[in-house]
Amino acid sequence: MIKVWKVEVAVVGGGAAGMAAAAAAAREGASVLLLERNTCLGGVLDQCIHPGFGLHRYKEELTGPEFAFRLHTELEKARVEVAFSHTVINVNPQKPEILAVGPNGLVRVQAKAVVWACGAWERPLGHLLIPGTRPAGIFTAGLAQRLVNIHGLLPGRRVLILGSGDIGLIMARRFHLEGAEVVGVAEIKPFPGGLLRNVRQCLEDYGIPLFLRTTVSEIHGRDRLTGVTLVEVDEQGKTIPGTERFIKVDTLVLSVGLIPEIRLLEGFLSCDHVQRGPRVNSFWQTEHPWLFVVGNALVVFDLVDTVAAVGEEAGRFAARFACGEMQGEPCVPLKRGQNVAALVPQAFIPGEPARLFLRVIRPFPKARVKISPVYSKVHLGLRPAEMVEIRLSSEATAELQRCSEATVEVHPQ
């Protein structure tokens, strides 16, 4: 017999977004169940032992486990029920009903609202189509981080990092501190993919080179990786003949992007083809009003503090929806315009304050961010790795309701 769990708000995923959403929904007075597939909460936070978390949310610098502990404490205070070791295997597209597998078999969760907070998965080697063999010694950055920080295992002695996302930069420093030789970080773009602070603190402070406009064109080795061929690329990202060079390494770490984990939702949700996450409005609500999506399952955010803040907002709205205080609201679509690489949410609700996040396509020392006719402001030091947050007042969104859609644009100054 399938166990049936009836709650007002079901939250899937016990990382930063999920914990913040669950605690917020419970504080609003909703009965909440948090489903987590692992035996503990926190997601990847437990393996992020470096500092840099909590500066916005808790006004102090914490490590990943410390940040997770703070959120866990919020959950306990809000008396959120947590179902550990429960993996969701199906979401009913017609109504807020979830099927999960737990230690005692199948569980059906019947809720009034669902918050999806399942994070993202790492882009693997197979997505890169790099020619050559497939020997041992190739790891995604998250896996390498887990091996080193959780299991105490050093995957290799001479390491190249491909991709300069934040986790790749952090792992370059981690390998260096553990005694491995990090020959460099290769980045196909002409600018680093991670936060500037991580470039300084993880590479420059330790003399680790960053090779911009460079990528791996071939993998070498039969049983174990023996080296890679690095090649320079032009402005279009095409390899430049004659610039190839062999680099002897026994470990290649991939930090080449994250993909939102929404595979159970893809069949019935419309998704953004660039960001690969669902389209949501400024309540973090999908086209199915009972389904809210937050955190890196929506778009890859730059800071865990922001992930938690967005999760908290969605938790409050989910509780309001579950209690019948709101329904599916009419929305005005919001589009990516000139020089905008990523944008969430993709619609706003006229007359309600909205919080938008965007990424630019390349660095701009000075640029004007514009949403005609209600927002126009010059921002300094825009970089693709750092999200720009824009807050629109209820008066501003009310003024936009006369438009069939609004466009966010970035103009260099």
Side-chain angles (χ1 to χ4, degrees), residues 131-136 138 218-229 246-247 249-250:
T133 54
R134 292 294 182 264
I138 302 173
E218 189 171 358
I219 293 169
H220 304 273
R222 184 176 176 84
D223 297 322
R224 175 79 194 197
L225 183 71
T226 56
V228 299
T229 299
F246 177 80
I247 302 289
V249 291
D250 63 13

Side-chain angles (χ1 to χ4, degrees), residues 122-137:
E122 294 181 278
R123 192 182 299 275
L125 177 63
H127 280 206
L128 305 182
L129 303 177
I130 300 175
T133 54
R134 292 294 182 264

Side-chain angles (χ1 to χ4, degrees), residues 54-60 62 67 70-71 74 305:
L55 289 169
H56 298 278
R57 187 174 183 84
Y58 299 113
K59 310 302 179 191
E60 58 182 300
L62 306 172
F67 189 88
R70 296 288 185 95
L71 284 173
E74 291 186 36
D305 288 61

